[in-house]
Amino acid sequence: MDWLLAARMQANCLARPVNEAGPGGVADVVRRTGGLQAQTWRGAAYAVRARSTSTVLADVAHAQSVDRSVVRGWFMRGTLQLVAVEDAGPLLGLLGPKLIKDSERRFGELDLPADVRARAADVLEEHLLAHGPADRAQLAAVLVAAGLIAEPKGQAVYALIRYAGLLGRVCYGPGETWVAVSSWLGKPLDLAGDVEDLARRYLNAYGPATARDFATWSGLSVPTARRAVEAVATESFEVDGVSVVAVEDLPGCRDLRMLGEFDAYLLGYQNRFQELPAAIFPGGGMLRPAVIEAGRAIGSWTHADLSVELFDGGPDLSAELTDLARFAD
């Protein structure tokens, strides 16, 4: 099993293969990993650091808000992700319809039928095209004025913004604002996607893995994920009685990395082949910063004071701590 975790660590770019500085380095990391978790901006930024040698914190915001080579929006599993701009349309084309269908119950609870959602997407896009970036309070006021929701508070506002995002019409702009995709990126997204291409890219960034891992990562159904994985996998291995597949046989990375919260490496699988202690995975959808070595979680750390808890003692962290300071400076 140790070789599997080390191979996965290498596949997920944690051998730090990206040496380009600036927003180009950010985009390269995001492209190679197939996207990074972006529930928190800090989590996405520190995921870039762990996979590159020359980027700095300011480069991540520059890549998203100025260079616009990466897009923050709702993609895999319907959660916030940072993806390469060329991947945004194909991902939404493949994942958006199922994610919307999976949200129907919640839309019902919020009294947001299909006609209200469709009109809201039009209203939001039209406002953003006319006025530029807007925050939640501003968009809530727009929805109230259009008679689509009764009051500007509550979860319906975010649900309607997210719905427009899953249609490929709205994404995040500067900070915690939203923009119209067609103006922000200069053209509408092309929503044509190929599920086998996505499976190949997943295995490149997360393999060796299973079809259920791909389904867990993407939000696709297991049968769809299985067909795509079987079509593209070129290598097969047995690990603890489980068949895992890949598109190449990697020697593995045995380095040490300090990962930020919600790191893609720990969220990319249905079966991680390791148990995460409560210090990293306390439940409730949280995933805290982790220290990994050779693919295995060996400790946790905090951003506030860079304090580290290693579960069984462990290696020297000075190089990683120095690089954290370099990145944040």
Side-chain angles (χ1 to χ4, degrees):
M1 187 190 302
D2 288 345
W3 71 267
L4 171 70
L5 297 178
R8 285 178 166 185
M9 182 177 178
Q10 182 179 351
N12 207 234
C13 295
L14 288 165
R16 303 184 78 187
V18 176
N19 298 311
E20 181 180 354
V26 175
D28 194 15
V29 169
V30 173
R31 192 175 296 114
R32 287 173 184 242
T33 55
L36 296 172
Q37 294 289 137
Q39 288 101 314
T40 68
W41 185 252
R42 183 177 66 182
Y46 279 81
V48 171
R49 181 213 71 88
R51 293 161 173 85
S52 58
T53 61
S54 301
T55 58
V56 296
L57 183 59
D59 293 334
V60 186
H62 194 281
Q64 189 259 336
S65 295
V66 181
D67 194 59
R68 301 183 191 177
S69 53
V70 297
V71 179
R72 188 184 183 205
W74 299 270
F75 297 96
M76 289 75 77
R77 302 179 305 287
T79 60
L80 283 176
Q81 310 271 341
L82 199 64
V83 306
V85 66
E86 67 269 22
D87 295 335
L91 283 169
L92 287 175
L94 288 171
L95 306 178
K98 182 177 184 299
L99 293 169
I100 290 170
K101 183 179 179 181
D102 290 346
S103 301
E104 285 292 347
R105 179 177 177 181
R106 184 58 180 153
F107 290 142
E109 293 171 348
L110 295 172
D111 193 23
L112 299 174
D115 62 328
V116 169
R117 302 197 307 268
R119 178 62 182 145
D122 290 341
V123 167
L124 291 170
E125 185 178 39
E126 289 165 6
H127 178 84
L128 293 169
L129 284 170
H131 300 283
D135 62 21
R136 180 173 178 151
Q138 291 167 325
L139 294 183
V142 169
L143 293 169
V144 170
L148 294 165
I149 57 174
E151 50 94 20
K153 297 181 180 180
Q155 298 180 19
V157 176
Y158 185 80
L160 290 171
I161 297 170
R162 180 177 177 271
Y163 175 76
L166 291 174
L167 294 177
R169 298 170 68 177
V170 168
C171 68
Y172 273 78
E176 293 301 309
T177 67
W178 289 276
V179 293
V181 167
S182 58
S183 62
W184 184 249
L185 300 181
K187 60 181 179 180
L189 294 176
D190 181 354
L191 301 182
D194 183 296
V195 69
E196 290 184 9
D197 180 64
L198 184 60
R200 186 178 296 106
R201 297 190 62 199
Y202 172 76
L203 290 177
N204 269 318
Y206 291 89
T210 68
R212 286 188 176 275
D213 291 327
F214 177 43
T216 296
W217 173 82
S218 65
L220 291 168
S221 70
V222 173
T224 298
R226 181 176 294 111
R227 287 191 295 270
V229 165
E230 289 174 351
V232 302
T234 59
E235 304 280 347
S236 179
F237 312 93
E238 287 287 325
V239 182
D240 289 351
V242 177
S243 177
V244 295
V245 297
V247 290
E248 61 178 322
D249 188 0
L250 298 173
C253 173
R254 290 166 176 78
D255 295 343
L256 182 144
R257 293 287 177 267
M258 295 172 69
L259 309 182
E261 65 266 32
F262 300 110
D263 192 88
Y265 171 71
L266 295 177
L267 284 172
Y269 306 96
Q270 184 267 336
N271 185 351
R272 297 186 184 96
F273 284 96
Q274 61 177 308
E275 293 293 327
L276 297 182
I280 296 173
F281 189 43
M286 291 299 299
L287 190 67
R288 293 172 177 161
V291 182
I292 65 166
E293 184 178 34
R296 186 177 297 280
I298 64 166
S300 63
W301 64 284
T302 61
H303 282 281
D305 58 5
L306 297 184
S307 60
V308 178
E309 176 192 355
L310 294 177
F311 304 139
D312 297 308
D316 180 10
L317 297 175
S318 58
E320 277 291 275
L321 290 168
T322 297
D323 193 69
L324 284 170
R326 175 203 63 80
F327 180 76
D329 189 5

